[in-house]
């Protein structure tokens, strides 16, 4: 019985050491690539020690979009980097007497967005930017003039047309 216990202890220690070695290797390789990336940046891309990398975006998403039926509802998708490969966007509805210039930067009306394959993920900011509301959309159609998607939570479909 003691021989079996001994082998289980040895096996457990071996697995733990292998796991530790893998974690150390992964940490080392990631830190080396981050240091190399930081050295390649110029001063304009570093702000208060936070480094922003230009996210990869689908150029078809960029620009100002107008809702197809609620023609006073607008959205703008930009390449302005936010954190975690997201970019900043804005939305407003002029029927509610809100215009783009009324939006407080990075507050209510602003959202972080990212397109992955045929989905768009958005985090909408609150007034004081203390919380963000997540939205996930499945893209049904995207081209130079039309953006048509449905929200995955409630299956509401929205169609926008390019207006810039």
């Amino acid at each position: 019985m003691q021989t079996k216990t001994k082998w289980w202890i040895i096996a457990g220690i071996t697995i733990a050491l292998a796991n530790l070695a893998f974690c150390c290797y992964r940490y080392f390789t990631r830190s080396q690539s981050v240091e190399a990336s930081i050295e390649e940046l110029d001063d304009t891309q570093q702000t208060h020690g936070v480094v922003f990398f230009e996210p990869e975006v689908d150029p078809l998403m960029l620009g100002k979009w107008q809702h197809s039926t609620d023609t006073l509802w607008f959205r703008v998708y930009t390449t302005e980097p936010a954190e975690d490969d997201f970019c900043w966007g804005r939305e407003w509805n002029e029927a509610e007497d809100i215009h783009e210039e009324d939006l407080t930067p990075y507050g209510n009306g602003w959202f972080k967005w990212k397109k992955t394959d045929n989905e768009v993920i958005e985090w909408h900011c609150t007034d004081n930017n203390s919380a963000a509301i997540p939205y996930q959309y499945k893209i049904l159609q995207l081209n130079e003039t039309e953006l048509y998607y449905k929200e995955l939570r409630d299956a509401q479909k929205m169609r926008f047309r390019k207006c810039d």
Side-chain angles (χ1 to χ4, degrees):
M1 193 63 124
Q2 287 182 345
T3 307
K4 281 186 179 180
T5 306
K6 214 186 273 186
W7 284 110
W8 280 109
I9 292 172
I10 292 171
I13 291 171
T14 304
I15 291 170
L17 288 173
N19 213 1
L20 178 64
F22 176 74
C23 289
C24 289
Y25 171 76
R26 190 172 63 184
Y27 175 77
F28 176 75
T29 56
R30 285 184 178 173
S31 67
Q32 295 301 313
S33 66
V34 168
E35 287 174 12
S37 300
I38 290 172
E39 289 172 4
E40 295 170 5
L41 295 175
D42 63 15
D43 289 336
T44 62
Q45 293 172 301
Q46 295 188 28
T47 308
H48 304 291
V50 177
V51 178
F52 292 100
F53 296 96
E54 194 70 32
E56 292 184 31
V57 297
D58 185 340
L60 291 175
M61 287 288 296
L62 299 176
K64 186 175 181 180
W65 297 87
Q66 182 178 31
H67 195 272
S68 61
T69 56
D70 184 356
T71 58
L72 297 176
W73 179 13
F74 295 92
R75 305 192 99 185
V76 175
Y77 292 91
T78 73
T79 59
E80 181 183 346
E83 63 272 347
D84 299 326
D85 293 330
F86 281 79
C87 294
W88 284 106
R90 298 177 297 282
E91 78 171 342
W92 65 96
N93 191 334
E94 293 178 358
E96 298 171 0
D97 199 28
I98 299 171
H99 299 80
E100 185 174 16
E101 58 272 7
D102 298 330
L103 302 177
T104 303
Y106 314 110
N108 196 24
W110 284 68
F111 59 89
K112 299 171 191 172
W113 72 276
K114 173 170 55 173
K115 180 181 178 290
T116 58
D117 297 325
N118 65 342
E119 289 186 355
V120 176
I121 300 166
E122 296 180 0
W123 288 88
H124 289 248
C125 300
T126 57
D127 280 332
N128 59 2
N129 206 7
S130 63
I133 303 163
Y135 291 91
Q136 191 170 5
Y137 304 99
K138 179 177 181 177
I139 296 175
L140 303 173
Q141 183 174 356
L142 174 62
N143 57 42
E144 294 84 10
T145 60
E146 185 175 38
L147 169 60
Y148 182 44
Y149 52 61
K150 99 176 159 180
E151 186 181 356
L152 295 180
R153 183 173 35 207
D154 63 9
Q156 177 186 3
K157 293 181 180 178
M158 293 178 274
R159 188 180 305 266
F160 291 85
R161 64 177 190 265
K162 191 69 129 297
C163 63
D164 60 356

